[in-house]
Amino acid sequence: MPFNLPIFLTWLRIVAIPLLITVYFLPAAWLTVEERNLAATVIFIAAAITDWADGYLARRLNQTSAFGAFLDPVADKLMVAAALIVLVQLGRTDAIIASIIIGREITISALREWMAKIGASKSVAVSMLGKIKTTAQMVAIPMLLFQSPLAGVDMQQAGSLLMWVAALLTLWSMGYYLRMAWPEIARRSKKIDEGY
């Protein structure tokens, strides 16, 4: 297993997951609700920064690797899933939103793995729509973790609205990827039906 600075940053993102969750299970005497929210927000934003940094450094330092390419999206999806589950537990987002986003990530990850296995991974390469969806949820999640008004903005209300936008973009992007993969899926299904 290779180990370099980009991969180290990716591992830090994975380590941040239990830290984010633990913040909300510490004894009440240790942290106020506002302090918990701030700590969780800082942890999530720091993790999001490492997501950008590890990709940038891997390219800049010529330290890209197959293991890093595998681990990076896994770390991203685990971090987002953990944050969404925490937000559902706290009553700050709807379970349906978490289910849509997590379900989409599982579906598209499985689709990409299958498409790579049959040599058609370019059909489901990351699109601009997927990047916009990711940006929306990566902004909405810290807003909902922080929750308190900031600079006159109701973070709970704004974050909730943006999370619904992220959920709609999630469904749209899933439809896009499935549509791109459909010709290959149909072709393979036809071969199976014909007994090849």
Side-chain angles (χ1 to χ4, degrees):
M1 177 179 71
F3 191 80
N4 52 38
L5 181 56
I7 289 175
F8 174 70
L9 291 175
T10 305
W11 278 115
L12 281 182
R13 195 153 70 255
I14 293 171
V15 169
I17 295 167
L19 292 178
L20 175 70
I21 296 167
T22 301
V23 163
Y24 289 102
F25 289 94
L26 293 173
W30 290 17
L31 294 172
T32 65
V33 172
E34 291 76 16
E35 289 168 341
R36 290 171 198 273
N37 291 342
L38 178 59
T41 304
V42 169
I43 291 168
F44 187 88
I45 291 173
I49 291 169
T50 68
D51 180 27
W52 169 83
D54 61 17
Y56 172 78
L57 290 172
R59 291 185 297 274
R60 180 84 178 192
L61 303 174
N62 196 25
Q63 293 181 342
T64 57
S65 66
F67 181 72
F70 155 76
L71 191 64
D72 181 62
V74 170
D76 297 345
K77 289 166 180 50
L78 288 174
M79 189 66 178
V80 168
L84 287 170
I85 291 166
V86 166
L87 290 170
V88 170
Q89 175 86 14
L90 296 170
R92 298 182 192 175
T93 196
D94 295 319
I96 191 167
I97 289 179
S99 299
I100 287 169
I101 293 173
I102 294 170
R104 180 264 189 201
E105 297 303 340
I106 293 169
T107 302
I108 299 305
S109 293
L111 179 66
R112 283 195 174 122
E113 183 179 342
W114 181 73
M115 294 294 279
K117 193 178 290 186
I118 63 172
S121 58
K122 288 185 179 178
S123 300
V124 286
V126 175
S127 69
M128 182 55 67
L129 181 58
K131 290 179 181 179
I132 295 169
K133 177 271 303 178
T134 299
T135 300
Q137 71 187 24
M138 296 302 267
V139 173
I141 289 171
M143 291 174 84
L144 292 172
L145 288 171
F146 189 73
Q147 195 185 32
S148 300
L150 181 66
V153 177
D154 183 333
M155 299 298 268
Q156 176 64 45
Q157 186 176 21
S160 295
L161 179 62
L162 192 54
M163 191 61 83
W164 276 106
V165 170
L168 293 173
L169 289 172
T170 294
L171 291 172
W172 188 7
S173 68
M174 183 170 71
Y176 169 81
Y177 289 124
L178 289 171
R179 191 173 74 249
M180 296 303 291
W182 187 252
E184 193 62 41
I185 294 170
R187 190 172 70 82
R188 297 275 168 163
S189 297
K190 186 177 180 184
K191 280 188 174 183
I192 292 170
D193 291 342
E194 292 172 354
Y196 287 105

